[in-house]
Amino acid sequence: MGRRITRNFNIGSVGIGSNYPISIQSMLKTKNTDVDACLTQIKELEEVHCDLIRVSVPDDKSLETFVTLQKNTNIPLIADIHYSYELAYKVLEAGAKKIRMNPGNMPDFSKIDKLVSELKNNHACIRIGVNAGSINKSYENQSEVDKIVNSTMDCLSVFENLGFHDIVLGLKSSNIQTTIECNEKIAKICDYPMHIGLTESGPLREGLVKSSIAISRLLEQGIGDTVRVSLSNSPVEEVIAAKTILKSLGLRNDVPELVSCPTCARTKINVPLLSEKIEKELAKINKNIKIAVMGCPINGIDEGKGADLGIAGGEKESIIFVKGKQVARISNENLVEEFMKYVNNYLKEE
Ligand code: SF4
């Protein structure tokens, strides 16, 4: 699948643009006043190899938190700014390598002059992140797509006129078709990297389905350099979802694949629970490996033989198989832990 050719630059240690792998990002959902909770969520995101983490910076207290968090992780943090240019200047002075601004609620573009100086001084970049719900009133007579695209272009031209081009564009709506059309339109007229995803996509199930459709249809056209699957759920779920989309389209080969059987009357083990636990463990592995979780030994081993490793569940003990061949029978107590030892050994021996 080809990529649209874009400009390339760095967000701290992470490259963005068509020369680099498509990065995965999520956002902290913890209170900025609770530094420990923020650090715990960052640790969870580190474990699942999230590439970039966005953090809201709505006030000076949050700015202090941002600085503390930045000192405690190697993942580049993106400061999410609404309403206040002053906070954008301050967070850049504090070392942020990327900020996100929403032009819809930062309409005084005369302040972009100083913003560009701060960005250049700090070798930082910016996402112009336009959301359908927060477009400036001056665009209200335009179609939904035109509103989003034109407000993006108007803001972008201010940066360009000031000679600044380390810009990522994000054009989002909660509507799939609107989001796709906006991104298609803007991708044809500029070469900036694109941040893709839906906004307010919904709770886990609805959000996953809608986001997968929108993101996949853009990626299939080569559009998209960083992905966020916005869900009313944990950031880890967002990362797992983004990885699954990229892996399924053959755009990342450092992500495990998990297959599991739909279960039936022959099922001997709680496949939904077991596969969910294994999915969480696999999210910590950045290798291309295929795992099968099957509900019974009768058909499970044979049907799961396309996987590198698998479990065929039994009532008290389950069978571990490698490429369709039984290698062990282990107790269902601590099954996940024991199985992951086999997975890690397999990866070591590969
Ligand atoms: S693997 Fe076994 S339990 Fe799962 S669907 Fe097939 S027959 Fe049923």
Side-chain angles (χ1 to χ4, degrees):
M1 200 175 288
R3 296 265 303 274
R4 164 181 163 265
I5 304 299
T6 71
R7 291 167 182 271
N8 294 277
F9 45 90
N10 279 73
I11 305 164
S13 55
V14 175
I16 185 150
S18 51
N19 287 352
Y20 298 99
I22 297 168
S23 55
I24 291 171
Q25 59 176 282
S26 186
M27 189 162 180
L28 291 195
K29 305 189 177 195
T30 37
K31 295 265 178 238
N32 292 32
T33 44
D34 189 343
V35 174
D36 287 345
C38 293
L39 287 170
T40 301
Q41 206 156 69
I42 286 178
K43 180 105 188 67
E44 288 167 359
L45 287 166
E46 285 172 348
E47 279 181 353
V48 297
H49 307 284
C50 183
D51 298 307
L52 299 161
I53 302 174
R54 187 153 51 108
V55 182
S56 301
V57 183
D59 50 32
D60 284 335
K61 176 74 194 143
S62 309
L63 179 65
E64 276 174 39
T65 303
F66 185 88
V67 173
T68 306
L69 301 181
Q70 205 169 227
K71 285 184 188 145
N72 283 282
T73 181
N74 292 323
I75 299 181
L77 300 184
I78 304 162
D80 193 64
I81 305 289
H82 293 251
Y83 303 104
S84 170
Y85 280 91
E86 278 65 34
L87 276 168
Y89 307 152
K90 284 186 198 171
V91 82
L92 286 165
E93 279 163 20
K97 289 296 166 204
K98 183 179 174 190
I99 67 166
R100 178 270 173 118
M101 76 171 277
N102 180 345
N105 51 38
M106 296 172 80
D108 184 359
F109 289 172
S110 68
K111 293 185 172 176
I112 291 179
D113 203 336
K114 181 165 181 206
L115 185 58
V116 164
S117 302
E118 296 290 352
L119 287 162
K120 285 182 178 171
N121 289 344
N122 291 289
H123 305 289
C125 62
I126 188 164
R127 167 160 67 103
I128 300 173
V130 176
N131 278 359
S134 52
I135 306 276
N136 189 292
K137 286 203 170 28
S138 57
Y139 299 92
E140 67 190 359
N141 294 327
Q142 303 183 10
S143 74
E144 197 71 356
V145 170
D146 285 348
K147 267 186 212 173
I148 299 173
V149 171
N150 291 336
S151 63
T152 305
M153 288 306 294
D154 290 344
C155 183
L156 176 63
S157 67
V158 179
F159 283 91
E160 287 182 319
N161 290 338
L162 292 163
F164 190 77
H165 301 280
D166 289 352
I167 300 167
V168 179
L169 298 177
L171 293 81
K172 296 187 182 181
S173 158
S174 57
N175 179 281
I176 295 172
Q177 200 52 39
T178 303
T179 300
I180 290 170
E181 283 178 34
C182 289
N183 281 275
E184 285 173 343
K185 211 165 175 177
I186 211 138
K188 284 195 187 113
I189 52 176
C190 69
D191 63 354
Y192 293 96
M194 305 287 292
H195 165 125
I196 59 167
L198 288 182
T199 185
E200 299 127 25
S201 71
L204 190 61
R205 198 186 332 252
E206 176 141 2
L208 285 176
V209 173
K210 292 196 304 199
S211 296
S212 304
I213 294 169
I215 291 169
S216 303
R217 283 176 57 192
L218 289 169
L219 290 172
E220 278 174 350
Q221 300 180 65
I223 300 169
D225 303 283
T226 182
V227 170
R228 181 187 178 202
V229 179
S230 305
L231 297 172
S232 305
N233 211 288
S234 78
V236 166
E237 293 292 352
E238 295 189 352
V239 173
I240 294 174
K243 282 180 169 184
T244 307
I245 294 170
L246 293 175
K247 172 191 65 188
S248 304
L249 293 172
L251 291 165
R252 291 268 297 234
N253 61 4
D254 58 349
V255 179
E257 179 178 357
L258 176 63
V259 297
S260 60
C261 82
T263 76
C264 70
R266 295 186 189 90
T267 308
K268 303 285 185 228
I269 199 162
N270 188 337
V271 172
L273 186 63
L274 183 60
S275 53
E276 199 179 310
K277 285 182 178 171
I278 289 177
E279 183 183 52
K280 293 233 157 71
E281 291 303 314
L282 291 176
K284 299 173 188 167
I285 294 174
N286 51 357
K287 294 269 168 53
N288 182 14
I289 184 170
K290 186 170 178 181
I291 303 296
V293 176
M294 311 301 277
C296 75
I298 306 161
N299 288 339
I301 300 177
D302 207 31
E303 289 186 12
K305 68 178 177 236
D308 296 301
L309 275 94
I311 294 177
E315 258 158 37
K316 292 204 172 123
E317 292 183 325
S318 295
I319 291 168
I320 308 289
F321 56 91
V322 174
K323 309 244 191 238
K325 297 250 171 355
Q326 178 174 338
V327 293
R329 184 183 283 273
I330 55 174
S331 162
N332 286 351
E333 283 174 35
N334 301 325
L335 182 56
V336 174
E337 209 173 278
E338 291 302 314
F339 177 65
M340 290 311 295
K341 287 183 191 164
Y342 281 89
V343 172
N344 287 317
N345 282 339
Y346 178 90
L347 289 170
K348 268 187 219 148
E349 283 164 17
E350 243 198 338

